[in-house]
Amino acid sequence: IGRAEDGGFWLFAGNVPLAAQRWAQARYGTADTAEQLMAAMHSAGAWLQLKVLADVDRAADLATVRRQLGALPAPTPVQQQLLQWMDDALRNDWPIAKRAGAQAPDA
């Protein structure tokens, strides 16, 4: 699981089937969503915990995610594509970027 800074999670993956009702046991959008999900899945096996990062729940979260991606020492090709998409959105004044209040890196 990749926990998010706001208490949720930015990634969840598994290598065993998980019952759908386990997903419903967690309250989403709370400061302890990741903890609740892990408690619901406790019998599914061991956990690998990834780095805590920002996730995108609202347009305003894009600026934080952009900063974190831009700070990576060696972004993957997919991360580079995402950075380019975000920068294009900011440079072209896309509505979602305006709501985010972010600026393109060279702006």
Side-chain angles (χ1 to χ4, degrees):
I1 190 167
R3 294 173 185 250
E5 294 173 349
D6 62 5
F9 56 95
W10 56 268
L11 178 71
F12 179 88
N15 59 2
V16 296
L18 300 170
Q21 71 256 23
R22 289 186 183 202
W23 289 95
Q25 291 176 8
R27 288 180 302 130
Y28 292 85
T30 66
D32 64 344
T33 297
E35 286 295 326
Q36 291 180 47
L37 183 64
M38 290 177 70
M41 306 285 184
H42 75 278
S43 64
W47 289 88
L48 172 63
Q49 295 199 40
L50 304 174
K51 183 177 180 179
V52 175
L53 296 170
D55 65 344
V56 179
D57 296 317
R58 294 167 202 76
D61 298 335
L62 285 171
T64 302
V65 171
R66 170 61 184 89
R67 277 192 306 278
Q68 288 181 348
L69 278 172
L72 292 173
T76 67
V78 171
Q79 290 167 331
Q80 291 172 358
Q81 289 175 344
L82 180 56
L83 281 166
Q84 185 62 55
W85 178 87
M86 293 172 118
D87 292 345
D88 288 347
L90 296 167
R91 284 189 191 98
N92 293 315
D93 205 25
W94 292 2
I96 193 165
K98 283 178 72 173
R99 287 195 307 271
Q103 296 182 355
D106 60 354

